[in-house]
Amino acid sequence: MASTPPPRTFHVKSFGCQMNVYDGERMAELLTAQGMTAADERGDADLVVLNTCHIREKATEKVYSDIGRLRRDDGTSPLIAVAGCVAQAEGEEIMVRAPSVKVVVGPQAYHRLPEMVAQAAAGTRSTETDMPAEAKFAALPRRRKSGPSAFLTVQEGCDKFCTYCVVPYTRGAEISRPFADLVDEAQALVEGGAREITLLGQNVNAWAGEDARGRKAGLAELAEELAKFPELARIRYTTSHPADMTDALIEAHGSNPKLMPFLHLPVQSGNDRVLKAMNRSHTADSYLRLLERVRAVRPDIAISGDFIVGFPGETEAEFGDTLRIIDAVGYALAFSFKYSPRPGTPAATMDGHVPAEVMDERLQRLQAALNRDQLAFNHSSVGRRCSVLVERRGKREGQWLGKSPWLQSVHFIGEAAVGDLVTVDLIEAGPNSLAGTLVSA
Ligand code: SAH
Ligand code: SF4
Ligand code: F3S
């Protein structure tokens, strides 16, 4: 491979979950620390990092089509690096299938991106998919700038091995970052402008550490410590697993006023046989009882979920149980997916794969129910007075967009600035947003 001048501009494109967004930001910070500049249009960047997701089939195909689309009219391509979970799972295949890709770097090894890019410019392609994540975090530069709402990865990897899921393979075993490191990163984010921090983990509520005095700490204690930053107004966390929802964390929703009244707690299915086949370690009933306890301490909490339709062997009656659990919970927000067989996962070789038309039809019914509930939740918020964290300008003159405590998008007209926490009366609801009037800045 011929050598090229070292890249001066870069673009990072992230697919997939919020942790990938976080990783993308950290990669951009690393490259900036090397003296490179972020380019807006990725067609013009010397280096393009595709930060990929492997969770469902189409995501992988998207990566290959993106690689193709990066080819310029004159037949050349920017220097392409593939990062993220597809890099981890299919790095070798990518190197073979896509000669324009010069760097493949897994989610736990991206601290090595700058040196790999330099090697690639000098003519050597390389792949790095080492685990685990500790070395990466230690090697990343201190954070400087932040928008009003920031992500902070506290826990990475997954030991749950749900039978449909690739994450335990692409992200590795569960690790928790040390308490002190997280407080330090949160401080940097707050100093850089963050008013809200969302703590991230594949199983964020499995986070465990020790506080400054050597006492055992969980997510509740971590959130309590972060709440001490006066400029930090809001703390969120995602994604939680029902099995790791501790008493302390539930209590924290009643006692920590900065912990927002929102809980993303995926159930996946409402049927116990399917849940068992998924290796979910909870039943429909234990999940509902858990939510009862959370609602007892925080009655206004918004519940959000993930659902999979058409898991192998799912019958019409079993799917009906999923519709029933939706009715029982009343989700404020939800993400739903057709089951997608992933190579190397136990479910991929199970019997009873559900035909595509059946999955389509179930997904439609599921989403109709979820949309109905999301609209109902938004309608139930009309009349509330709440805080809104202003994130950006709206399309209309004088209009601003932000988030309510319940993670709803809210728009209003008036004097404000990005990063303000304003008080708004919610006056009108739609399926995806609410209109408010400004009470005070
Ligand atoms: N750690 C998180 C997120 C996992 S991925 C959690 O446990 O919820 C996000 C969602 O993608 C999952 O909750 C699940 O609903 C969905 N998902 C994962 N693997 C899938 C697959 N093979 N097919 C369809 N949906 C899947
Ligand atoms: Fe995947 Fe299950 Fe782990 Fe979530 S808990 S990342 S769905 S294996
Ligand atoms: Fe996708 Fe990896 Fe996140 S597979 S959902 S980017 S952990």
Side-chain angles (χ1 to χ4, degrees), residues 55 157-168 174 202-203 239 241 266 268 278-280 308:
I55 202 84
C158 183
D159 298 339
K160 294 284 188 291
F161 290 92
C162 300
T163 52
Y164 49 81
C165 183
V166 289
V167 172
E174 283 182 10
Q202 267 89 31
N203 273 306
T239 292
H241 192 287
Q268 314 297 356
M278 288 177 164
N279 192 29
R280 284 292 294 183
I308 296 176

Side-chain angles (χ1 to χ4, degrees), residues 2 8 32 52 58 71 95 103 112 114 118 123 189 195 201 205 253 256 262 269 274 285 318 334 338 370 380 411:
R8 281 175 304 171
T32 306
T52 61
K58 277 189 199 132
R71 184 181 279 273
M95 275 294 193
V103 171
R112 297 205 46 226
L189 289 168
R195 312 277 333 259
N205 54 345
H253 276 285
N256 184 342
F262 186 93
S269 163
V274 173
D285 191 53
E318 288 168 344
K338 287 185 271 187
L370 292 168
S380 75
H411 53 89

Side-chain angles (χ1 to χ4, degrees), residues 31-83:
L31 297 169
T32 306
Q34 300 290 310
M36 293 177 63
T37 317
D40 287 339
E41 283 300 311
R42 69 197 165 104
D44 297 339
D46 301 331
L47 164 68
V48 174
V49 181
L50 298 174
N51 188 21
T52 61
C53 171
H54 198 50
I55 202 84
R56 284 169 290 275
E57 248 150 4
K58 277 189 199 132
T60 314
E61 287 319 305
K62 237 172 117 188
V63 177
Y64 282 110
S65 72
D66 253 64
I67 294 169
R69 232 176 295 132
L70 285 170
R71 184 181 279 273
R72 304 185 184 108
D73 290 343
D74 64 3
T76 62
S77 290
L79 200 163
I80 302 174
V82 177

Side-chain angles (χ1 to χ4, degrees), residues 163 312 339 341-353:
T163 52
Y339 168 72
R342 308 310 291 132
T345 59
T349 51
M350 284 179 186
D351 292 336
H353 278 262

Side-chain angles (χ1 to χ4, degrees), residues 8-185:
R8 281 175 304 171
T9 56
F10 69 89
H11 180 82
V12 180
K13 186 176 183 194
S14 293
F15 306 84
C17 61
Q18 287 153 321
M19 192 172 290
N20 252 18
V21 174
Y22 172 87
D23 292 340
E25 288 169 4
R26 304 299 321 250
M27 285 189 258
E29 289 163 3
L30 265 173
L31 297 169
T32 306
Q34 300 290 310
M36 293 177 63
T37 317
D40 287 339
E41 283 300 311
R42 69 197 165 104
D44 297 339
D46 301 331
L47 164 68
V48 174
V49 181
L50 298 174
N51 188 21
T52 61
C53 171
H54 198 50
I55 202 84
R56 284 169 290 275
E57 248 150 4
K58 277 189 199 132
T60 314
E61 287 319 305
K62 237 172 117 188
V63 177
Y64 282 110
S65 72
D66 253 64
I67 294 169
R69 232 176 295 132
L70 285 170
R71 184 181 279 273
R72 304 185 184 108
D73 290 343
D74 64 3
T76 62
S77 290
L79 200 163
I80 302 174
V82 177
C85 290
V86 179
Q88 188 69 36
E90 291 178 22
E92 278 162 34
E93 197 190 325
I94 294 170
M95 275 294 193
V96 175
R97 244 178 92 175
S100 59
V101 173
K102 308 298 183 206
V103 171
V104 165
V105 65
Q108 314 304 15
Y110 63 74
H111 55 294
R112 297 205 46 226
L113 183 63
E115 61 180 289
M116 294 172 79
V117 166
Q119 277 169 13
T124 309
R125 299 170 85 201
S126 60
T127 302
E128 176 65 270
T129 48
D130 266 6
M131 301 220 194
E134 282 98 337
K136 168 183 75 182
F137 288 115
L140 296 175
R142 196 160 199 267
R143 315 206 67 180
R144 290 174 191 283
K145 273 209 327 249
S146 171
S149 182
F151 290 140
L152 170 52
T153 293
V154 304
Q155 181 279 341
E156 214 174 327
C158 183
D159 298 339
K160 294 284 188 291
F161 290 92
C162 300
T163 52
Y164 49 81
C165 183
V166 289
V167 172
Y169 311 98
T170 62
R171 294 270 169 175
E174 283 182 10
I175 65 123
S176 289
R177 295 180 65 194
F179 189 93
D181 293 8
L182 297 171
V183 175
D184 183 58
E185 188 167 327

